[in-house]
Amino acid sequence: MTNQTVCKLSTRQVRGKAKKDFFCSAQIFLLVVLTVAFAFGAQADEKVQKEPTLYVTGLSQLPVIPDVGELVLGIEADGKTAGEAQTKASAVLTAFIGQLKGVGIQAQEIKTVQSSLNPVRDYNTKAPHKIISYTAIQKIKIRVVGENRLNLISRAVDLATQNSINHIESVGFTVSPERMKEVKRKALAAASDDAIKSAKEVLSSLGLTFQRVKEIHLNSGNYNFYQAAPMARGDMYASLKAAPEAAPEISTIMPGEMMVEGSVNLTVEFQ
């Protein structure tokens, strides 16, 4: 009886110990798995964040000489009838265009931008106010392309003052799309060089080393547009209308130069 009881107790003890050992082994295994997973995760995070980054902006300015000149001018003429006003304006403008062609401005470089006819009424009379005359306005735009042709803008202004042209709207200089596209590329390249140079100088001063460019963001190149008139429109109009034969002297109009700006944003890695 006693032996059987001891035998049964021994069996229970063995089974309990085996069960305990099993759970202990499972806990150890789970701990090992979690430790390995944590280690791999830490290594992965370390690998992703291995290289710190620096955000830097590069700027550049390149001068460019305009190769496009534009001039808007015209004639304002009065007449007792609509036909008379239009005839006067057309006669002056036709003669003027003929002289423009004589100095080398081509027909395709001249474009009509306004042709209008307006009645002039006597507002001291009862409505409908009596029409006492008509005013005709005709304007053209001259556009020349090429650095060697920009002097024609000055020639056109001089001819205008000699031909009763009493509206000089504006004079402007710009850059043709082909030239602007080329200069913008150069400006962006110069801005990229400036950004990399700045990044290297900053990192070097901190005892760090430039590694590589990670991201690039290009900004469109901008340019400063030059536009001027030889005389304020009101002054030119008043002086020419009052005394066309005493037209003011017009100085040579110089296109000068424009500044094309480039801007680049870089994200660089360093150690």
Side-chain angles (χ1 to χ4, degrees), residues 43-60:
Q43 290 179 0
D45 290 341
E46 183 181 356
K47 185 174 182 181
V48 171
Q49 301 178 358
K50 183 178 180 180
E51 300 293 349
T53 58
L54 172 68
Y55 185 80
V56 63
T57 298
L59 302 174
S60 69

Side-chain angles (χ1 to χ4, degrees), residues 100-173:
L100 292 177
K101 293 178 180 179
V103 298
I105 298 176
Q106 303 173 9
Q108 62 268 28
E109 296 175 320
I110 305 171
K111 177 183 178 181
T112 299
V113 294
Q114 180 180 347
S115 180
S116 62
L117 178 66
N118 300 303
V120 178
R121 298 179 182 273
D122 182 2
Y123 290 97
N124 293 321
T125 61
K126 295 182 180 180
H129 305 294
K130 180 181 179 181
I131 297 176
I132 57 176
S133 64
Y134 289 85
T135 298
I137 299 177
Q138 295 184 18
K139 295 180 183 179
I140 61 173
K141 179 179 182 179
I142 302 168
R143 185 177 190 272
V144 295
V145 180
E147 287 184 47
N148 60 339
R149 295 180 60 77
L150 295 185
N151 65 310
L152 293 174
I153 296 296
S154 294
R155 297 283 287 124
V157 172
D158 290 338
L159 290 174
T161 63
Q162 300 168 13
N163 286 271
S164 299
I165 297 297
N166 51 26
H167 268 285
I168 296 185
E169 190 82 9
S170 64
V171 181
F173 298 97

Side-chain angles (χ1 to χ4, degrees), residues 154-260:
S154 294
R155 297 283 287 124
V157 172
D158 290 338
L159 290 174
T161 63
Q162 300 168 13
N163 286 271
S164 299
I165 297 297
N166 51 26
H167 268 285
I168 296 185
E169 190 82 9
S170 64
V171 181
F173 298 97
T174 186
V175 178
S176 61
E178 296 79 11
R179 175 174 289 191
M180 180 57 69
K181 186 176 181 180
E182 177 185 356
V183 176
K184 279 185 176 182
R185 283 199 298 262
K186 292 181 179 179
L188 290 174
S192 298
D193 292 340
D194 178 63
I196 293 175
K197 181 180 179 180
S198 297
K200 289 182 177 180
E201 289 178 350
V202 170
L203 293 172
S204 177
S205 68
L206 298 174
L208 301 171
T209 304
F210 175 92
Q211 292 297 305
R212 69 183 184 92
V213 176
K214 184 179 181 181
E215 294 181 358
I216 303 174
H217 299 280
L218 302 179
N219 301 320
S220 298
N222 300 317
Y223 64 94
N224 298 321
F225 178 74
Y226 170 79
Q227 185 174 20
M231 182 180 289
R233 177 182 173 185
D235 294 340
M236 174 66 77
Y237 172 74
S239 60
L240 293 184
K241 188 174 182 180
E245 69 281 357
E249 292 293 330
I250 303 299
S251 301
T252 301
I253 302 172
M254 303 298 294
E257 66 179 21
M258 301 162 57
M259 298 301 296
V260 178

Side-chain angles (χ1 to χ4, degrees), residues 26-86:
Q27 290 176 350
I28 294 174
F29 176 76
L30 180 60
L31 181 60
V32 171
V33 171
L34 291 176
T35 302
V36 172
F38 178 78
F40 275 107
Q43 290 179 0
D45 290 341
E46 183 181 356
K47 185 174 182 181
V48 171
Q49 301 178 358
K50 183 178 180 180
E51 300 293 349
T53 58
L54 172 68
Y55 185 80
V56 63
T57 298
L59 302 174
S60 69
Q61 283 190 335
L62 296 181
V64 57
I65 297 176
D67 61 344
V68 177
E70 294 183 350
L71 169 64
V72 178
L73 42 67
I75 174 69
E76 178 179 323
D78 298 324
K80 292 182 179 181
T81 64
E84 181 183 353
Q86 286 181 315

